[in-house]
Amino acid sequence: MGPLVGRYNPYDPAYIRDPYRQLDRLRAAAPVYHSRVTGSYVVSSYALAAEVLADRRYGTNRKTDSSLRSRMFFRLARFTQEEENALDNTMGAVPDEVHQRMRKAIAYDFGKRRLTELLPRMEFWVDRLLDEAAARGQIDLIEDFAAKLPILVAAELLGFPPQDARKLQEWSDSYLVLVDPLIKGAGIARMNAAFHQFDPYVADTLRRKRAEPGDDLITRLLEHHRDGEFDDVQLRVLIMLLMIAGHEVITNLIGNAVACLLRFPDQRVRLAGGPELMPAAIEEFVRYESPIQAVWRIAGEDLEIAGVRVPATRAVTVLIGAANNDPEEFADPRRLDLARTDNRHLGFALGSHYCAGPWLARIEGAVALSRLLERFPGFRGDASRLRWKPAAGLRGLYELPLVL
C-alpha cells in the first residue's frame, strides 16, 4: 500500500480479488491500526476482534461516529427529518433497552425451532427456482438463485405476499449504501427514494394484518406494539430492517460456498458423499469466505485496545474476515476443511449486537446447497474468473454462471 493510503485499503483491486494476503500482513504488522481510508481504528486479530465485539462500551449507532468519513456521509446525505427519524430508530441506533426488546420480540421467529418448521416452505422455493434453471440447463447462481431465495423466504417469514418479492428485493438492495457506498447500484438518492415507497407499503401491510392476522412475524410484532414495547416508527423500521438486513448476507453465503466447492473439488466430493457434514460445512464456508467481512463499533468513552488509545466517539472497524483467518485461532486457515471441528468463527459477530439471524442463514444456506448438490451433482463453473463486489463490509460475487 502507498504512503497516502496506508496498510489497509479495501477498495484496492488486488484486495478485492484476494483480501487475505493484505489482511495477513496487516495482522502481523499492526493488529490495531488507524486507517486513513476508513478514518477508524482497524482490528484484525481474532483475540482483539472478540474483545471489542464482546465489550458493551462500544455501540453501533454510526451517527455518533466522529470520524471525517462518517461526518461527510451524513452531511452529503441531506436526509429529511422523516428519513433521519427512521435512521434513529433502527436496531443499531435505539437505546439499549429498546434494542433488547426488539431482539426479544423477533427471537421466536428467528429461532432454530421455528425456522426448522419452515423447512418445507424453504424447500418449495429452492425447488421452484431450480426447476426454472433446469429447464434452461444453466444458471447464474447469484442472480437466478442466491439473490432471489432470501427475499422469498424472508417475505414468507414476515408475512409479505410472495408476488411482491421483486419490489422488496429492489428496495432492500437500495439500502446497501448504509453498509458500503461503493456497492454496485447503491446510492443515497436511491435509498431515500426506496424509503418513501417501502415505508407506506409496510404501513399498508400493518393495517391488513390488524384486520387479518396470520401466523407470521409481522402479526406477532403487532402484539408487541400493542403492549407498548415500541412505537409506530420503531415498528415499521424494524420490519423494514428485517427484510433488508439478511438477504445480502445469505446471498453471499450461498454464492461464496458454491465458489468454494468449485475451487476445492476434493471438498465438494466429500460433501456430496457425506450430506451429514452440511452443518459443519456451513460453519466452514462462513469462516473461510465470510459474507460479513467487517462490522463497525463506536467507542462510548475513551478506551484502549492492546495499548492503543481509542478516543470516545471514534469508530473501530472489526475485520471479521481477518479474524476468521487468524492462524493463532485456526490451524491452516486458508485450507477449506468442511469437517473442521471447534470452529468458533466470528462470522455472525459476537456480544449484545450479535447477528439476529444466524439460524436463518444456516438453515436456508444448508437447504439451498443440499438441493443444488442433490439435483445437479455435476454442475460446472469457472472458479478462476470470479468477480467480487468492491465492499469493505461484505464479500460476495457479481455473478457465478453454472452449467447444470
Side-chain angles (χ1 to χ4, degrees), residues 110-129:
F110 280 86
K112 184 179 182 180
R113 178 182 297 179
R114 172 62 174 164
L115 293 169
T116 302
E117 292 173 355
L118 291 177
L119 263 177
R121 295 302 300 165
M122 293 186 195
E123 291 170 343
F124 168 82
W125 291 118
V126 167
D127 282 332
R128 182 166 175 173
L129 294 172

PDB file of all heavy atoms in Angstrom, residues 110-129:
ATOM      1  N   PHE A 110     -36.933 -16.104  14.558  1.00  0.00           N
ATOM      2  CA  PHE A 110     -35.589 -16.312  14.046  1.00  0.00           C
ATOM      3  C   PHE A 110     -34.863 -17.430  14.790  1.00  0.00           C
ATOM      4  O   PHE A 110     -33.663 -17.618  14.607  1.00  0.00           O
ATOM      5  CB  PHE A 110     -34.782 -15.011  14.121  1.00  0.00           C
ATOM      6  CG  PHE A 110     -35.084 -14.064  12.991  1.00  0.00           C
ATOM      7  CD1 PHE A 110     -36.136 -13.164  13.068  1.00  0.00           C
ATOM      8  CD2 PHE A 110     -34.331 -14.091  11.829  1.00  0.00           C
ATOM      9  CE1 PHE A 110     -36.426 -12.309  12.030  1.00  0.00           C
ATOM     10  CE2 PHE A 110     -34.607 -13.236  10.779  1.00  0.00           C
ATOM     11  CZ  PHE A 110     -35.666 -12.341  10.875  1.00  0.00           C
ATOM     12  N   GLY A 111     -35.601 -18.168  15.602  1.00  0.00           N
ATOM     13  CA  GLY A 111     -35.013 -19.274  16.353  1.00  0.00           C
ATOM     14  C   GLY A 111     -34.962 -20.560  15.545  1.00  0.00           C
ATOM     15  O   GLY A 111     -35.677 -20.732  14.558  1.00  0.00           O
ATOM     16  N   LYS A 112     -34.133 -21.486  15.982  1.00  0.00           N
ATOM     17  CA  LYS A 112     -33.912 -22.727  15.252  1.00  0.00           C
ATOM     18  C   LYS A 112     -35.194 -23.540  15.114  1.00  0.00           C
ATOM     19  O   LYS A 112     -35.487 -24.087  14.038  1.00  0.00           O
ATOM     20  CB  LYS A 112     -32.840 -23.551  15.967  1.00  0.00           C
ATOM     21  CG  LYS A 112     -32.460 -24.835  15.250  1.00  0.00           C
ATOM     22  CD  LYS A 112     -31.367 -25.581  16.005  1.00  0.00           C
ATOM     23  CE  LYS A 112     -30.954 -26.848  15.272  1.00  0.00           C
ATOM     24  NZ  LYS A 112     -29.893 -27.580  16.012  1.00  0.00           N
ATOM     25  N   ARG A 113     -36.001 -23.605  16.172  1.00  0.00           N
ATOM     26  CA  ARG A 113     -37.214 -24.430  16.127  1.00  0.00           C
ATOM     27  C   ARG A 113     -38.197 -23.906  15.088  1.00  0.00           C
ATOM     28  O   ARG A 113     -38.708 -24.671  14.264  1.00  0.00           O
ATOM     29  CB  ARG A 113     -37.878 -24.472  17.505  1.00  0.00           C
ATOM     30  CG  ARG A 113     -39.166 -25.278  17.525  1.00  0.00           C
ATOM     31  CD  ARG A 113     -39.813 -25.246  18.897  1.00  0.00           C
ATOM     32  NE  ARG A 113     -38.959 -25.859  19.915  1.00  0.00           N
ATOM     33  CZ  ARG A 113     -39.286 -25.937  21.205  1.00  0.00           C
ATOM     34  NH1 ARG A 113     -40.438 -25.428  21.634  1.00  0.00           N
ATOM     35  NH2 ARG A 113     -38.475 -26.507  22.060  1.00  0.00           N
ATOM     36  N   ARG A 114     -38.486 -22.605  15.111  1.00  0.00           N
ATOM     37  CA  ARG A 114     -39.439 -22.033  14.171  1.00  0.00           C
ATOM     38  C   ARG A 114     -38.941 -22.175  12.742  1.00  0.00           C
ATOM     39  O   ARG A 114     -39.708 -22.510  11.824  1.00  0.00           O
ATOM     40  CB  ARG A 114     -39.676 -20.553  14.506  1.00  0.00           C
ATOM     41  CG  ARG A 114     -40.499 -19.778  13.479  1.00  0.00           C
ATOM     42  CD  ARG A 114     -41.894 -20.337  13.328  1.00  0.00           C
ATOM     43  NE  ARG A 114     -42.714 -19.517  12.456  1.00  0.00           N
ATOM     44  CZ  ARG A 114     -43.857 -19.923  11.921  1.00  0.00           C
ATOM     45  NH1 ARG A 114     -44.288 -21.166  12.161  1.00  0.00           N
ATOM     46  NH2 ARG A 114     -44.557 -19.124  11.148  1.00  0.00           N
ATOM     47  N   LEU A 115     -37.661 -21.925  12.508  1.00  0.00           N
ATOM     48  CA  LEU A 115     -37.125 -21.998  11.157  1.00  0.00           C
ATOM     49  C   LEU A 115     -37.096 -23.434  10.646  1.00  0.00           C
ATOM     50  O   LEU A 115     -37.280 -23.681   9.450  1.00  0.00           O
ATOM     51  CB  LEU A 115     -35.731 -21.377  11.115  1.00  0.00           C
ATOM     52  CG  LEU A 115     -35.721 -19.865  11.360  1.00  0.00           C
ATOM     53  CD1 LEU A 115     -34.306 -19.357  11.560  1.00  0.00           C
ATOM     54  CD2 LEU A 115     -36.390 -19.127  10.207  1.00  0.00           C
ATOM     55  N   THR A 116     -36.899 -24.391  11.550  1.00  0.00           N
ATOM     56  CA  THR A 116     -36.980 -25.799  11.147  1.00  0.00           C
ATOM     57  C   THR A 116     -38.393 -26.150  10.700  1.00  0.00           C
ATOM     58  O   THR A 116     -38.588 -26.916   9.745  1.00  0.00           O
ATOM     59  CB  THR A 116     -36.533 -26.715  12.297  1.00  0.00           C
ATOM     60  OG1 THR A 116     -35.184 -26.369  12.677  1.00  0.00           O
ATOM     61  CG2 THR A 116     -36.568 -28.173  11.892  1.00  0.00           C
ATOM     62  N   GLU A 117     -39.390 -25.571  11.358  1.00  0.00           N
ATOM     63  CA  GLU A 117     -40.780 -25.782  10.943  1.00  0.00           C
ATOM     64  C   GLU A 117     -41.032 -25.232   9.537  1.00  0.00           C
ATOM     65  O   GLU A 117     -41.889 -25.748   8.811  1.00  0.00           O
ATOM     66  CB  GLU A 117     -41.737 -25.098  11.931  1.00  0.00           C
ATOM     67  CG  GLU A 117     -41.775 -25.732  13.317  1.00  0.00           C
ATOM     68  CD  GLU A 117     -42.601 -24.914  14.296  1.00  0.00           C
ATOM     69  OE1 GLU A 117     -43.062 -23.808  13.917  1.00  0.00           O
ATOM     70  OE2 GLU A 117     -42.776 -25.374  15.440  1.00  0.00           O
ATOM     71  N   LEU A 118     -40.295 -24.203   9.166  1.00  0.00           N
ATOM     72  CA  LEU A 118     -40.474 -23.579   7.851  1.00  0.00           C
ATOM     73  C   LEU A 118     -39.652 -24.257   6.751  1.00  0.00           C
ATOM     74  O   LEU A 118     -39.681 -23.811   5.603  1.00  0.00           O
ATOM     75  CB  LEU A 118     -40.106 -22.098   7.921  1.00  0.00           C
ATOM     76  CG  LEU A 118     -41.050 -21.198   8.722  1.00  0.00           C
ATOM     77  CD1 LEU A 118     -40.523 -19.775   8.762  1.00  0.00           C
ATOM     78  CD2 LEU A 118     -42.457 -21.211   8.130  1.00  0.00           C
ATOM     79  N   LEU A 119     -38.944 -25.338   7.091  1.00  0.00           N
ATOM     80  CA  LEU A 119     -38.111 -26.027   6.105  1.00  0.00           C
ATOM     81  C   LEU A 119     -38.874 -26.419   4.840  1.00  0.00           C
ATOM     82  O   LEU A 119     -38.373 -26.224   3.722  1.00  0.00           O
ATOM     83  CB  LEU A 119     -37.470 -27.269   6.731  1.00  0.00           C
ATOM     84  CG  LEU A 119     -36.048 -27.136   7.260  1.00  0.00           C
ATOM     85  CD1 LEU A 119     -35.596 -28.432   7.907  1.00  0.00           C
ATOM     86  CD2 LEU A 119     -35.098 -26.769   6.134  1.00  0.00           C
ATOM     87  N   PRO A 120     -40.083 -26.995   4.963  1.00  0.00           N
ATOM     88  CA  PRO A 120     -40.807 -27.359   3.727  1.00  0.00           C
ATOM     89  C   PRO A 120     -41.047 -26.168   2.800  1.00  0.00           C
ATOM     90  O   PRO A 120     -40.981 -26.313   1.570  1.00  0.00           O
ATOM     91  CB  PRO A 120     -42.124 -27.948   4.253  1.00  0.00           C
ATOM     92  CG  PRO A 120     -41.789 -28.446   5.618  1.00  0.00           C
ATOM     93  CD  PRO A 120     -40.793 -27.464   6.166  1.00  0.00           C
ATOM     94  N   ARG A 121     -41.312 -25.006   3.380  1.00  0.00           N
ATOM     95  CA  ARG A 121     -41.525 -23.826   2.542  1.00  0.00           C
ATOM     96  C   ARG A 121     -40.211 -23.361   1.907  1.00  0.00           C
ATOM     97  O   ARG A 121     -40.188 -22.924   0.750  1.00  0.00           O
ATOM     98  CB  ARG A 121     -42.143 -22.693   3.369  1.00  0.00           C
ATOM     99  CG  ARG A 121     -43.530 -22.997   3.882  1.00  0.00           C
ATOM    100  CD  ARG A 121     -44.479 -23.302   2.741  1.00  0.00           C
ATOM    101  NE  ARG A 121     -44.602 -22.168   1.811  1.00  0.00           N
ATOM    102  CZ  ARG A 121     -45.134 -22.271   0.595  1.00  0.00           C
ATOM    103  NH1 ARG A 121     -45.547 -23.449   0.141  1.00  0.00           N
ATOM    104  NH2 ARG A 121     -45.245 -21.208  -0.170  1.00  0.00           N
ATOM    105  N   MET A 122     -39.115 -23.444   2.655  1.00  0.00           N
ATOM    106  CA  MET A 122     -37.822 -23.112   2.067  1.00  0.00           C
ATOM    107  C   MET A 122     -37.513 -24.055   0.911  1.00  0.00           C
ATOM    108  O   MET A 122     -37.051 -23.630  -0.162  1.00  0.00           O
ATOM    109  CB  MET A 122     -36.715 -23.201   3.124  1.00  0.00           C
ATOM    110  CG  MET A 122     -36.794 -22.168   4.226  1.00  0.00           C
ATOM    111  SD  MET A 122     -35.337 -22.277   5.301  1.00  0.00           S
ATOM    112  CE  MET A 122     -35.891 -21.328   6.716  1.00  0.00           C
ATOM    113  N   GLU A 123     -37.768 -25.357   1.110  1.00  0.00           N
ATOM    114  CA  GLU A 123     -37.516 -26.337   0.059  1.00  0.00           C
ATOM    115  C   GLU A 123     -38.392 -26.062  -1.158  1.00  0.00           C
ATOM    116  O   GLU A 123     -37.950 -26.241  -2.301  1.00  0.00           O
ATOM    117  CB  GLU A 123     -37.761 -27.749   0.597  1.00  0.00           C
ATOM    118  CG  GLU A 123     -36.732 -28.185   1.630  1.00  0.00           C
ATOM    119  CD  GLU A 123     -37.102 -29.466   2.332  1.00  0.00           C
ATOM    120  OE1 GLU A 123     -38.301 -29.862   2.268  1.00  0.00           O
ATOM    121  OE2 GLU A 123     -36.217 -30.091   2.945  1.00  0.00           O
ATOM    122  N   PHE A 124     -39.623 -25.610  -0.914  1.00  0.00           N
ATOM    123  CA  PHE A 124     -40.520 -25.276  -2.020  1.00  0.00           C
ATOM    124  C   PHE A 124     -39.908 -24.182  -2.893  1.00  0.00           C
ATOM    125  O   PHE A 124     -39.864 -24.300  -4.124  1.00  0.00           O
ATOM    126  CB  PHE A 124     -41.878 -24.821  -1.473  1.00  0.00           C
ATOM    127  CG  PHE A 124     -42.772 -24.198  -2.510  1.00  0.00           C
ATOM    128  CD1 PHE A 124     -43.534 -24.990  -3.353  1.00  0.00           C
ATOM    129  CD2 PHE A 124     -42.843 -22.814  -2.649  1.00  0.00           C
ATOM    130  CE1 PHE A 124     -44.347 -24.421  -4.336  1.00  0.00           C
ATOM    131  CE2 PHE A 124     -43.666 -22.230  -3.615  1.00  0.00           C
ATOM    132  CZ  PHE A 124     -44.416 -23.042  -4.459  1.00  0.00           C
ATOM    133  N   TRP A 125     -39.427 -23.113  -2.273  1.00  0.00           N
ATOM    134  CA  TRP A 125     -38.863 -22.008  -3.045  1.00  0.00           C
ATOM    135  C   TRP A 125     -37.551 -22.406  -3.698  1.00  0.00           C
ATOM    136  O   TRP A 125     -37.277 -22.011  -4.848  1.00  0.00           O
ATOM    137  CB  TRP A 125     -38.670 -20.777  -2.160  1.00  0.00           C
ATOM    138  CG  TRP A 125     -39.965 -20.143  -1.729  1.00  0.00           C
ATOM    139  CD1 TRP A 125     -40.440 -19.996  -0.464  1.00  0.00           C
ATOM    140  CD2 TRP A 125     -40.968 -19.581  -2.592  1.00  0.00           C
ATOM    141  NE1 TRP A 125     -41.673 -19.387  -0.465  1.00  0.00           N
ATOM    142  CE2 TRP A 125     -42.018 -19.118  -1.755  1.00  0.00           C
ATOM    143  CE3 TRP A 125     -41.071 -19.420  -3.971  1.00  0.00           C
ATOM    144  CZ2 TRP A 125     -43.159 -18.497  -2.268  1.00  0.00           C
ATOM    145  CZ3 TRP A 125     -42.214 -18.808  -4.490  1.00  0.00           C
ATOM    146  CH2 TRP A 125     -43.234 -18.357  -3.640  1.00  0.00           C
ATOM    147  N   VAL A 126     -36.729 -23.181  -3.002  1.00  0.00           N
ATOM    148  CA  VAL A 126     -35.482 -23.667  -3.605  1.00  0.00           C
ATOM    149  C   VAL A 126     -35.785 -24.469  -4.859  1.00  0.00           C
ATOM    150  O   VAL A 126     -35.205 -24.246  -5.936  1.00  0.00           O
ATOM    151  CB  VAL A 126     -34.682 -24.507  -2.597  1.00  0.00           C
ATOM    152  CG1 VAL A 126     -33.556 -25.277  -3.301  1.00  0.00           C
ATOM    153  CG2 VAL A 126     -34.100 -23.637  -1.493  1.00  0.00           C
ATOM    154  N   ASP A 127     -36.701 -25.428  -4.751  1.00  0.00           N
ATOM    155  CA  ASP A 127     -37.013 -26.280  -5.897  1.00  0.00           C
ATOM    156  C   ASP A 127     -37.665 -25.491  -7.035  1.00  0.00           C
ATOM    157  O   ASP A 127     -37.429 -25.778  -8.217  1.00  0.00           O
ATOM    158  CB  ASP A 127     -37.919 -27.430  -5.461  1.00  0.00           C
ATOM    159  CG  ASP A 127     -37.160 -28.534  -4.746  1.00  0.00           C
ATOM    160  OD1 ASP A 127     -35.960 -28.696  -5.043  1.00  0.00           O
ATOM    161  OD2 ASP A 127     -37.742 -29.214  -3.896  1.00  0.00           O
ATOM    162  N   ARG A 128     -38.464 -24.515  -6.681  1.00  0.00           N
ATOM    163  CA  ARG A 128     -39.095 -23.709  -7.735  1.00  0.00           C
ATOM    164  C   ARG A 128     -38.041 -22.965  -8.544  1.00  0.00           C
ATOM    165  O   ARG A 128     -38.098 -22.939  -9.783  1.00  0.00           O
ATOM    166  CB  ARG A 128     -40.083 -22.722  -7.121  1.00  0.00           C
ATOM    167  CG  ARG A 128     -40.812 -21.874  -8.141  1.00  0.00           C
ATOM    168  CD  ARG A 128     -41.991 -21.170  -7.519  1.00  0.00           C
ATOM    169  NE  ARG A 128     -42.637 -20.268  -8.454  1.00  0.00           N
ATOM    170  CZ  ARG A 128     -43.772 -19.630  -8.194  1.00  0.00           C
ATOM    171  NH1 ARG A 128     -44.392 -19.804  -7.040  1.00  0.00           N
ATOM    172  NH2 ARG A 128     -44.301 -18.822  -9.096  1.00  0.00           N
ATOM    173  N   LEU A 129     -37.079 -22.366  -7.884  1.00  0.00           N
ATOM    174  CA  LEU A 129     -36.014 -21.652  -8.589  1.00  0.00           C
ATOM    175  C   LEU A 129     -35.128 -22.615  -9.373  1.00  0.00           C
ATOM    176  O   LEU A 129     -34.716 -22.314 -10.505  1.00  0.00           O
ATOM    177  CB  LEU A 129     -35.178 -20.844  -7.597  1.00  0.00           C
ATOM    178  CG  LEU A 129     -35.902 -19.689  -6.897  1.00  0.00           C
ATOM    179  CD1 LEU A 129     -35.029 -19.095  -5.800  1.00  0.00           C
ATOM    180  CD2 LEU A 129     -36.306 -18.599  -7.897  1.00  0.00           C
TER     181      LEU A 129
END
